[in-house]
Amino acid sequence: MKTAPLPELQDSPEDSLRDVAGAHLPLPKSKIILWVIVLLFGSDFALTVATNKNFGWPTVGHYFFNETVLQGLWVTLWLAVVSMLIGVVLGLPIAIGRMSKDPLARGLSNAYVWIFRGTPLLVQLIIWYNLSFLFPKIALKIPFGPSLVQWDANAVITPITAAIIGLALNEAAYMAEIIRGGLLSVPRGQRETAEAFGMKPMRALWRIIIPQAMKTIVPPTGNQFINMIKATSLVSVIAMADLLYSVQSIYNRTFEVIPLLMVAVLWYLLITSILSYAQSHIERYYSRGDSMHAARSTSDDAKTTEEDAK
């Protein structure tokens, strides 16, 4: 007995106009209520801060572009950049030393990271600033022999040198761990393949390992630089004229403590926001390979599905 063929279903004009690509789940009422509550509390808090005369917003506007404040801002920026660069340069060999099979290199690198990560940065800055109490003379000498060259510690260790040395050496310990984590993220087979093609270990490190590790190293390095911007405020305790020290010198004369501190807060927020925006672009640049790989995998899966359907 023959059965009549089923009639083909034809899309109605309404169905053909439906585009599910942009479809999304309806927003739950509970989430809408939560958003409304958060916005109400946030708006109330913002209005309270804006209308609170104790913040001294006119004073904030008056001193925001003050010459002393801008000079302190410049000191903060170049101090952070110089210290960060030195920290990265020192952190790379320390990271390699921690991964080395040589017990001496590994032991020295581990000791360095242990000391500088295990003590507060503020304590380190104060010790460097008062180094002349421990060593009145800084000498370059032969072990157990005579001094070749020596300098007066008070002349060498100024607030600037103490700030750079303290920030850079401390940052090197953290960068060493970041770089080491990035190097360990690269599959071991990459190094073995490079060596199988005749590359020396150091050449394989610079040409193969480090470029692949950058995707893992860059994001935490950006975070460290943002932290460095804020850590420079600690150098105010050793009379280094950074941003915080500059606003302190002003409110010590005017006694307008909160408005001047708000000037510093707004500048720090502005700088870190710009750096965070730049960091997001850099992260996208180094993650292009993953995006292309994911797109290629999706395309291959679609082709496989079409072939199976046929």
Side-chain angles (χ1 to χ4, degrees), residues 261-273:
L261 287 179
M262 291 306 300
V263 170
V265 167
L266 292 176
W267 272 119
Y268 282 124
L269 287 174
L270 179 60
I271 295 169
T272 54
S273 299

Side-chain angles (χ1 to χ4, degrees), residues 82-134:
V82 171
S83 301
M84 191 70 192
L85 290 176
I86 297 175
V88 172
V89 171
L90 294 178
L92 179 59
I94 295 171
I96 296 173
R98 292 205 66 189
M99 299 172 62
S100 174
K101 297 179 181 179
D102 183 10
L104 178 60
R106 189 170 61 252
L108 291 176
S109 300
N110 289 337
Y112 182 94
V113 173
W114 174 64
I115 291 173
F116 284 95
R117 288 182 64 195
T119 54
L121 175 57
L122 181 60
V123 175
Q124 297 175 29
L125 289 170
I126 295 175
I127 291 176
W128 284 112
Y129 184 65
N130 295 282
L131 190 65
S132 59
F133 288 102
L134 300 174

Side-chain angles (χ1 to χ4, degrees), residues 48-80:
T48 302
V49 172
T51 57
N52 191 334
K53 296 181 180 180
N54 294 325
F55 280 95
W57 295 116
T59 305
V60 173
H62 176 71
Y63 284 102
F64 194 74
F65 293 104
N66 181 269
E67 183 179 357
T68 302
V69 173
L70 293 180
Q71 289 176 352
L73 176 64
W74 167 247
V75 171
T76 292
L77 292 176
W78 76 255
L79 182 60

Side-chain angles (χ1 to χ4, degrees), residues 209-220:
I209 307 301
I210 290 180
Q212 295 185 63
M214 288 299 293
K215 181 179 62 177
T216 307
I217 294 173
V218 167

Side-chain angles (χ1 to χ4, degrees), residues 239-252:
M240 183 69 183
D242 71 314
L243 177 58
L244 180 59
Y245 185 87
S246 299
V247 300
Q248 287 175 334
S249 66
I250 296 175
Y251 71 61
N252 285 335

